[in-house]
Structures are given as structure tokens and as C-alpha cells.
Amino acid sequence: AQSVTQLGSHVSVSEGALVLLRCNYSSSVPPYLFWYVQYPNQGLQLLLKYTSAATLVKGINGFEAEFKKSETSFHLTKPSAHMSDAAEYFCAVNTGRRALTFGSGTRLQVQP
Amino acid sequence: GEEVAQTPKHLVRGEGQKAKLYCAPIKGHSYVFWYQQVLKNEFKFLISFQNENVFDETGMPKERFSAKCLPNSPCSLEIQATKLEDSAVYFCASSQPGQESYEQYFGPGTRLTVT
């Protein structure tokens, strides 16, 4: 069984500030972890993925995430927020060919 | 194609009517997944296919929902006798065999409104 918990349904930052979106997972086998972004009325776009090759993963748009097995976490960060980063972010886990299990999402607001 | 295509973009049905949604996976991708997103944040897995074979249907409400992936045709998700609670955005995703992480690529979704 697997699950994902995203702490904070809403996060608000100022433009240029650090973005930190939290994700904790639970999995009985080594997981694959993903962050997706969803802009209003659009589908999901893959930001980055963890596949056990490296614990620090860099993705698109300046985002990165660090896999910490001891903390069962996969938090998403970006050093400097941009207005265009405002969206809904989803953390997800799977264990291979199986369906993704999603967290409940975090809405990121970026204030000018 | 290079993107997952879903049609129609919007679908409105009266309660009790049938709804049929279509998905064309990325060319070469042999896994197809259907998800239902309700309340803009909760994703529920419905069913997955490996080529034309059902791979996992544990999330499928079997009484009214059915799905197919036939060779040389878009995959389809059909809801018989829709209910108000079926109002949601339905996403299709596909993935490519051999990728270590089986990352899934999502289509733009079909918004179903049941009135």
C-alpha cells in the first residue's frame, strides 16, 4: 500500500522568495516519486521525478526536490518564486506499472 | 502523436444519460490510465490498460463504468446512466514500457457535467 501526504493546502510566497512545498510518502516497497503541476483548467505537467538514481532531483522551471528516505519526504523547492509559478502542485507515488497515488495538492500563490 | 489527446474537452449530460470519453495515448506508449479528479484536488484512479488488455481495474465502479482500448482506435471510457456525482474532470495518462519510473504523461482532461 502507498500514500502521499501534502502538508499545507495553500502556500503563499512573495515574488523572489523561496518556495517550499512539502510531501511525505508511505510505501511498502521502494517508491518512484513525482511532482506534477496543474495550471487552471489544464492537465498535469511533470515537473520532476525520483527513480533512485540520485536523491537530489532537478526538474523544469528551476524546481528541485530531495528524496530523504529517513524522513520519507520528497519536498519541492525553488530558490526564487516567479508569478508564473502560481498553480496547483501534486506529489505522487507509484511502484512501477501501477497507478499513481496522489496527494491532495498544494495551491501556490505568488504575491507581487 | 507526441501528446495525450482527449476528446471532448467538455461534455454535459442530463442525469441518466450516457457519456463517452475518448483518449489517444502518445504513440508507442502501451500503458493507459484513467483518473477522475473531483473538487479540483482529489485524484481517483479508475482503470489501466496494457495495450488492449485491462491491467488494473481496482478503482472502477463496475455497475455503470466501462472502458476499452482496442487496436488502432482511441481508448474510451463510458458511463451508463450518469449520476450527479459523476461530475468531474476525467484525465487519461499514458506511459512507455521500459522506462525505469513508468512516468505518466497526462492529457488535458474531459470535464463532465451531469445536470
Side-chain angles (χ1 to χ4, degrees), chain A residues 6-7 12-13 15-16 23 37 49 60 66 85 89 93 97-98:
Chain A
Q6 289 185 243
L7 293 175
S12 182
V13 300
E15 193 172 18
C23 172
V37 61
K49 63 181 180 182
I60 62 172
E66 187 172 7
D85 295 327
Y89 291 80
V93 62
R97 296 174 291 171
R98 296 292 172 184

Side-chain angles (χ1 to χ4, degrees), chain B residues 62-113:
Chain B
K62 293 182 183 177
E63 313 84 58
R64 297 180 297 110
F65 285 61
S66 63
K68 293 178 186 177
C69 277
L70 299 176
N72 303 312
S73 297
C75 296
S76 63
L77 176 69
E78 189 167 344
I79 309 173
Q80 302 284 346
T82 53
K83 296 183 177 181
L84 295 175
E85 68 212 43
D86 299 330
S87 294
V89 181
Y90 291 82
F91 287 101
C92 172
S94 69
S95 66
Q96 185 177 9
Q99 284 189 320
E100 181 188 349
S101 61
Y102 294 94
E103 61 200 58
Q104 295 177 23
Y105 296 87
F106 283 76
T110 293
R111 181 177 297 276
L112 173 65
T113 302

Side-chain angles (χ1 to χ4, degrees), chain A residues 32 34 36 38 41-44 46 49-53 88 90 94 96-100 102-105 107, chain B residues 9 31 33 35 37 40-43 45 48 50 55-56 91 99-109 111:
Chain A
Y32 298 121
F34 307 85
Y36 284 88
Q38 185 177 34
N41 300 313
Q42 293 188 28
L44 294 170
L46 181 65
K49 63 181 180 182
Y50 166 74
T51 62
S52 78
E88 190 91 22
F90 292 92
N94 75 0
R97 296 174 291 171
R98 296 292 172 184
L100 291 165
F102 286 90
S104 55
R107 174 155 295 176
Chain B
K9 193 177 176 78
Y31 287 91
F33 301 80
Y35 296 90
Q37 185 184 27
K40 289 199 170 183
N41 56 7
E42 180 185 338
F43 282 89
F45 164 69
S48 63
Q50 181 179 7
F55 184 73
D56 182 353
F91 287 101
Q99 284 189 320
E100 181 188 349
S101 61
Y102 294 94
E103 61 200 58
Q104 295 177 23
Y105 296 87
F106 283 76
R111 181 177 297 276

Side-chain angles (χ1 to χ4, degrees), chain A:
Chain A
Q2 55 201 26
S3 65
V4 175
T5 301
Q6 289 185 243
L7 293 175
S9 58
H10 289 84
V11 170
S12 182
V13 300
S14 298
E15 193 172 18
L18 171 72
V19 175
L20 170 61
L21 304 183
R22 299 178 185 274
C23 172
N24 288 87
Y25 70 91
S26 171
S27 178
S28 55
V29 297
Y32 298 121
L33 293 159
F34 307 85
W35 276 99
Y36 284 88
V37 61
Q38 185 177 34
Y39 297 100
N41 300 313
Q42 293 188 28
L44 294 170
Q45 181 182 9
L46 181 65
L47 276 178
L48 47 80
K49 63 181 180 182
Y50 166 74
T51 62
S52 78
T55 56
L56 182 62
V57 180
K58 293 188 184 298
I60 62 172
N61 301 340
F63 284 94
E64 62 182 40
E66 187 172 7
F67 173 72
K68 292 187 177 180
K69 185 178 179 180
S70 60
E71 299 177 9
T72 60
S73 69
F74 190 56
H75 301 329
L76 182 70
T77 60
K78 181 173 180 177
S80 177
H82 192 272
M83 296 296 290
S84 61
D85 295 327
E88 190 91 22
Y89 291 80
F90 292 92
C91 183
V93 62
N94 75 0
T95 54
R97 296 174 291 171
R98 296 292 172 184
L100 291 165
T101 298
F102 286 90
S104 55
T106 297
R107 174 155 295 176
L108 176 65
Q109 291 182 312
V110 182
Q111 308 292 339

Side-chain angles (χ1 to χ4, degrees), chain B residues 5-59:
Chain B
Q6 289 189 249
T7 55
K9 193 177 176 78
H10 300 281
L11 190 58
V12 180
R13 289 289 180 265
E15 203 171 7
Q17 291 185 317
K18 183 173 72 174
K20 196 163 186 178
L21 292 61
Y22 297 92
C23 167
I26 293 172
K27 191 175 179 180
H29 284 197
S30 57
Y31 287 91
V32 171
F33 301 80
W34 284 99
Y35 296 90
Q36 178 193 56
Q37 185 184 27
V38 295
L39 300 175
K40 289 199 170 183
N41 56 7
E42 180 185 338
F43 282 89
K44 179 187 175 186
F45 164 69
L46 295 175
I47 190 169
S48 63
F49 289 84
Q50 181 179 7
N51 296 309
E52 62 268 25
N53 304 306
V54 174
F55 184 73
D56 182 353
E57 58 181 349
T58 52

